[in-house]
Amino acid sequence: MSLADQACYTLINVPMDAEPPTEMQLKQDLEKGDIKSKIEALKKTIQMILNGEKMPSLLMTIIRFVMPMQDHMIKKLLLVFWEVVPKTLPDGKLMQEMILVCDAYRKDLQHPNEFIRGSTLRFLCKIKEPELLEPLMPAIRQCLEHRHSYVRRNAVLAIYTIYRNHDFLIPDAPELIANFLEGEQDMSCKRNAFMMLIHADQDRALNYLSSCIDQVTSFGDILQLVIVELIYKVCHTNPSERARFIRCIYNLLNSSSPAVRYEAAGTLVTLSSAPTAIKAAATCYIELIVKESDNNVKLIVLDRLIALKEVPAHEKVLQELVMDILRVLAAPDLEVRKKTLQLALELITSRSIEEMVLILKKEVVKTNNVEHEDTGKYRQLLVRTLHQCSVKFPDVATSIIPVLMEFLGDQNELAAADVLVFIREAVQRFEQLRNLVMAKLLEVFPTIKAVKIHRAALWILGEYCTSGEDIQSVMTLIRQSLGEIPIVDDEMKKAAGEVQDEEIQSGGAVQRLVTADGTYATQSAFSTASTRKKDDVPPLRQYLMEGDFFVGAALSTTLTKLALRYINLHKNPKTQNAFVAESMLIMATIIHLGKSGLPAKPITDDDVDRIANCIRVLAERTDLMDEIFNKECRGSLSLMLAAKIEEEKAVQEASENKVVRVHADDPISFTQLINRADLGTGENLFELTMSQALGMNTKKETDPMGSSKLNKVTQLTGFSDPVYAEAYVNVNQYDIVLDVLIVNQTSDTLQNLTLELATLGDLKLVEKPQPLTMAPHDFCNIKANVKVASTENGIIFGNIVYDVSGAASDRNCVVLNDIHIDIMDYIVPASCTDTEFRQMWAEFEWENKVAVNTNITDLPEYLQHLMKCTNMKCLTPEKALSGECGFMAANMYARSIFGEDVLSNISIEKPAHLGKDASVQGHIRIRAKSQGMALSMGDKINLSQKKSLRPGGA
């Protein structure tokens, strides 16, 4: 049996670089050293025993020379020593020396110092040998009457563990502890005694609780927690007792301890589904979130609230508490705020929407004057929430839009971009709001500071300005944002005007300027770097001077739409031509500027083509172009919004389909007639949380044949090796348990058989497996724990060494095959917005480019195969991937349980000239924050991108 299978109570850090002392050195220090030397020798002895060393000769040395000492440090170390040292002979009988140890501890149990008594009682909780405990029972009973509470509470724990393991040693323990509980005043002692009665004799515990149920609120929090546990267990096994104790749980919701209130609220929800109970529990949770300072606590309790909301019957109760839930927004943590807003949005109704909008408006105003790391992201969250509120309830959009418009002039581009997305949707969906939106947008347009926001705002203005006045207003704004035109001439004049009161001697294209000291300075007009302040330059001109001509192309499209619409509104040819000429002049001057050499970067060919096309459209003025610019663009937007609404409806319907409703022909359950066992069918939450904490699988076995487990078995040695070994790799969240089966295939007894393991990558072996002795043709299981710290490909390698009984040769060694840890156990699909994806793509510095090498011939099939193999989620919408064009590009995203993000962009094609049976070609680019993650994901794709041809293969 390995150390992993044995009960472990004390963990001691062992420095790996220290030289282990010899047994003779330790013996000498323990016999003749001073107190300090003996303490150090005792520590080293304990460490070596924990590492599997056998030191039988030191046992009597410690009994003779160390045990009689009264030093407290030595006594504490001795308790650890007697806990870990083997106490039995190979045949299972108790060692004779233990009689001396037992006598020493009997004296310690009667020691006048309460610390020595208490620590000895705690030590006895860990002793499993009844022969050692039997002589100590009278002394343990006497400790129940000691004057100090530290001794009494440890005596109760000792009696409880002894009764649980060896009830014949103290058969009257429940009665003894019940009597002790009646007269005890100390809360810690009462808690331990009450906990023992819960597990040993529940009826006595219930009788005690019934006798003092009115005083429960005055008890200490440690006792109240145990009372909550008892009430839950009793009501779970015997639901008819609920009425008896539910009032007590209600009272505990007002306890001074947050832990008690949390447990009481959780218990109340499981015991009763009455609206008053749910409301009381939810209110308690909200108070805990608001008052607790720890963000982890806030998130845990928020998860409880979200779980409450998932029950359809409870959702209506929580809808009344939306305003209380929004109080949580006072927390500074972004994750807490995000969850709170999401929960509130799901609970909002037409009755509470106006109040919620008012609160969110106040939160928006608060963020204006606060500069914090997460302020920008919080503003973005608020904008998105208000957007969704107005989509759900169009009536409130009128009050939301003016507030959100203020964000357009904000330095935070993310929040402003979300506002524009919202405005675009609002203008398209709600015709009655168009005049309000356009008026407000014209008002805030001069305050916009970001090029992306300017670009999107120009599109909206060009699409939805329909009256002659609005069109003239937009033209005025554009002229103000560009400054004097033609731009090149204006820039040249300003560049020349920089040198005032200086004599300018022109000589062709090159200017010779006379400086203040009479010397000449020569410069070319086309390479003049403007030294004017950026604040003096109009925004659109500033973008163009920096080389961003895409905004110029967007501006040209807007002007074309406005001009075509203006022509339809005004029948006077003179007015029409004036407006069209002005629009064409602006477009021409942008092209001229792009080719002049004045901007930081020249105009691209794409932008030139786009602007030139717009000029041509205005010159020719055909009906077809009018149709495309003024109707088809808006039609594309409405199609996109319709697809988005359909997608949201599909998600909503999918979530509603999961709700189990009561059917008309379901049998009615009468409490008085139903079987008691049927009432308590729910899972025991205490057992459930304990099993989850221990990493045990709580899901029902969906694979009865265990084929998925067999897939995780790795053969470590060959069938012809003297020792056969195979390992089952069980991956938990943060550690890996290797269950190694070892078979002795020889006719010899193998002694000191040791499994030696080592790791490569971000893995760490927690313990050293214990040496074993194996009979001929015997087999055994050894467990080894490996700690995982990050998502990175890891390798476990090692060997098995052993001695053959009776052989004089050196130790034998069998080298094991490597075990490769699959990172897919730590990768889970995740989703993010396009903006977040682009931002992470720009930030992440590690990229791994993988060439596609597969036998799959279909593009969508290859994408599905890749998603299945890598656990990544495709962010590109299904509609964008549909259709056959011989090319596909998609973005994928996943997250590890350690919080590491991994992004990938696949660009694949199927060349037409190679025929239908040609394989998919292309590249996959992977980006991650850490090098290990990027390389590991690339290795995984390389290993699994070919489709297996055998039946059942993936």
Side-chain angles (χ1 to χ4, degrees), residues 183-214:
E184 183 56 56
Q185 296 301 317
D186 182 76
M187 280 302 158
S188 60
C189 298
K190 288 174 89 168
R191 180 257 180 198
N192 286 1
F194 191 72
M195 188 180 70
M196 177 190 162
L197 289 181
I198 289 174
H199 297 284
D201 192 341
Q202 208 171 80
D203 290 338
R204 288 181 191 272
L206 284 172
N207 291 337
Y208 173 75
L209 180 57
S210 300
S211 67
C212 61
I213 200 159
D214 295 330

Side-chain angles (χ1 to χ4, degrees), residues 196-257:
M196 177 190 162
L197 289 181
I198 289 174
H199 297 284
D201 192 341
Q202 208 171 80
D203 290 338
R204 288 181 191 272
L206 284 172
N207 291 337
Y208 173 75
L209 180 57
S210 300
S211 67
C212 61
I213 200 159
D214 295 330
Q215 289 91 43
V216 165
T217 49
S218 63
F219 290 167
D221 57 347
I222 53 174
L223 183 54
Q224 286 176 343
L225 279 171
V226 184
I227 287 170
V228 171
E229 184 183 345
L230 171 68
I231 292 173
Y232 177 83
K233 286 185 174 178
V234 169
C235 296
H236 187 77
T237 53
N238 186 7
S240 60
E241 294 279 0
R242 288 178 183 176
R244 183 179 169 193
F245 295 112
I246 205 159
R247 176 52 52 194
C248 178
I249 292 291
Y250 264 112
N251 293 338
L252 288 175
L253 288 176
N254 301 316
S255 170
S256 58
S257 164

Side-chain angles (χ1 to χ4, degrees), residues 47-195:
Q47 288 169 1
M48 291 177 76
I49 290 173
L50 281 172
N51 279 345
E53 301 289 340
K54 300 278 191 284
M55 294 188 167
S57 63
L58 292 181
L59 199 60
M60 275 311 295
T61 307
I62 289 172
I63 290 171
R64 286 175 60 201
F65 297 102
V66 183
M67 278 196 76
M69 301 189 71
Q70 294 301 311
D71 183 77
H72 282 203
M73 188 63 190
I74 286 181
K75 284 198 171 290
K76 283 164 77 175
L77 286 170
L78 280 172
L79 294 176
V80 179
F81 174 77
W82 293 119
E83 183 187 334
V84 300
V85 77
K87 303 171 191 65
T88 54
L89 298 168
D91 58 0
K93 291 183 180 177
L94 197 70
M95 291 182 179
Q96 295 295 322
E97 293 91 338
M98 288 297 133
I99 297 168
L100 299 170
V101 178
C102 186
D103 186 58
Y105 282 117
R106 187 179 54 78
K107 289 176 182 173
D108 280 349
L109 286 173
Q110 295 165 345
H111 199 282
N113 184 302
E114 61 270 7
F115 171 74
I116 290 176
R117 276 204 193 197
S119 54
T120 307
L121 286 163
R122 285 179 71 85
F123 158 72
L124 293 177
C125 295
K126 302 167 188 177
I127 300 296
K128 303 295 181 193
E129 291 77 16
E131 300 93 331
L132 273 176
L133 294 168
E134 191 173 5
L136 304 175
M137 292 315 298
I140 293 171
R141 282 172 176 264
Q142 283 177 6
C143 288
L144 281 175
E145 298 165 8
H146 194 271
R147 61 183 174 78
H148 204 284
S149 61
Y150 177 70
V151 177
R152 296 199 303 277
R153 70 166 175 260
N154 283 310
V156 173
L157 278 181
I159 289 171
Y160 171 42
T161 50
I162 292 166
Y163 178 76
R164 189 176 58 189
N165 297 326
H166 316 287
D167 56 353
F168 59 88
L169 291 177
I170 183 165
D172 61 336
E175 185 183 349
L176 180 70
I177 296 300
N179 294 335
F180 168 80
L181 189 57
E182 292 292 340
E184 183 56 56
Q185 296 301 317
D186 182 76
M187 280 302 158
S188 60
C189 298
K190 288 174 89 168
R191 180 257 180 198
N192 286 1
F194 191 72
M195 188 180 70

Side-chain angles (χ1 to χ4, degrees), residues 355-373:
E355 289 180 76
M356 179 170 169
V357 168
L358 281 173
I359 289 174
L360 294 179
K361 279 184 187 176
K362 286 179 184 175
E363 289 295 315
V364 167
V365 173
K366 281 182 194 173
T367 60
N368 287 337
N369 303 321
V370 179
E371 284 307 321
H372 187 263
E373 186 183 353

Side-chain angles (χ1 to χ4, degrees), residues 694-932:
L694 293 173
M696 295 160 64
N697 189 12
T698 55
K699 294 178 183 175
K700 291 182 181 176
E701 191 63 65
T702 54
D703 184 14
M705 299 301 291
S707 60
S708 59
K709 288 187 177 181
L710 291 174
N711 288 337
K712 293 190 175 183
V713 172
T714 307
Q715 188 177 334
L716 300 179
T717 63
F719 291 113
S720 59
D721 285 316
V723 176
Y724 172 75
E726 64 181 28
Y728 167 59
V729 184
N730 183 24
V731 178
N732 294 322
Q733 196 164 10
Y734 295 107
D735 66 336
I736 298 165
V737 179
L738 295 180
D739 191 351
V740 184
L741 170 70
I742 296 178
V743 182
N744 178 7
Q745 300 195 113
T746 68
S747 302
D748 301 313
T749 300
L750 306 182
Q751 294 180 331
N752 292 330
L753 184 140
T754 309
L755 175 67
E756 295 179 346
L757 296 172
T759 58
L760 191 68
D762 216 343
L763 305 173
K764 185 180 178 184
L765 194 66
V766 175
E767 60 185 344
K768 179 182 171 186
Q770 198 174 3
L772 301 167
T773 299
M774 291 185 70
H777 303 292
D778 193 7
F779 66 90
C780 67
N781 282 70
I782 295 178
K783 285 188 180 177
N785 278 49
V786 179
K787 187 176 175 60
V788 185
S790 72
T791 313
E792 197 174 313
N793 274 345
I795 300 172
I796 302 171
F797 55 92
N799 48 45
I800 294 173
V801 293
Y802 59 89
D803 295 327
V804 178
S805 180
S809 61
D810 292 336
R811 298 200 82 183
N812 297 283
C813 177
V814 178
V815 178
L816 307 177
N817 290 335
D818 297 345
I819 301 172
H820 291 264
I821 303 303
D822 190 359
I823 67 162
M824 287 307 106
D825 292 312
Y826 303 102
I827 301 286
V828 288
S831 59
C832 64
T833 63
D834 287 345
T835 311
E836 289 165 344
F837 185 91
R838 283 195 294 271
Q839 193 175 350
M840 285 190 282
W841 188 268
E843 286 174 4
F844 291 173
E845 51 196 28
W846 292 103
E847 179 173 311
N848 188 6
K849 191 173 182 181
V850 179
V852 173
N853 179 18
T854 183
N855 52 6
I856 298 173
T857 57
D858 185 53
L859 296 176
E861 186 187 347
Y862 180 76
L863 177 64
Q864 292 299 325
H865 177 70
L866 204 63
M867 286 161 60
K868 185 179 177 184
C869 294
T870 58
N871 283 358
M872 297 185 87
K873 182 178 180 180
C874 183
L875 300 179
T876 309
E878 187 67 33
K879 290 192 176 180
L881 299 172
S882 59
E884 289 290 335
C885 65
F887 174 78
M888 181 185 283
N891 292 333
M892 298 196 296
Y893 175 60
R895 204 160 196 208
S896 77
I897 59 170
F898 305 101
E900 299 165 307
D901 299 298
V902 59
L903 316 171
S904 74
N905 169 260
I906 70 165
S907 182
I908 51 178
E909 64 174 345
K910 192 175 174 186
H913 65 277
L914 295 178
K916 288 185 179 180
D917 296 330
S919 298
V920 172
Q921 297 179 4
H923 287 91
I924 301 160
R925 292 166 69 200
I926 302 155
R927 283 205 182 178
K929 211 166 192 176
S930 63
Q931 183 185 19

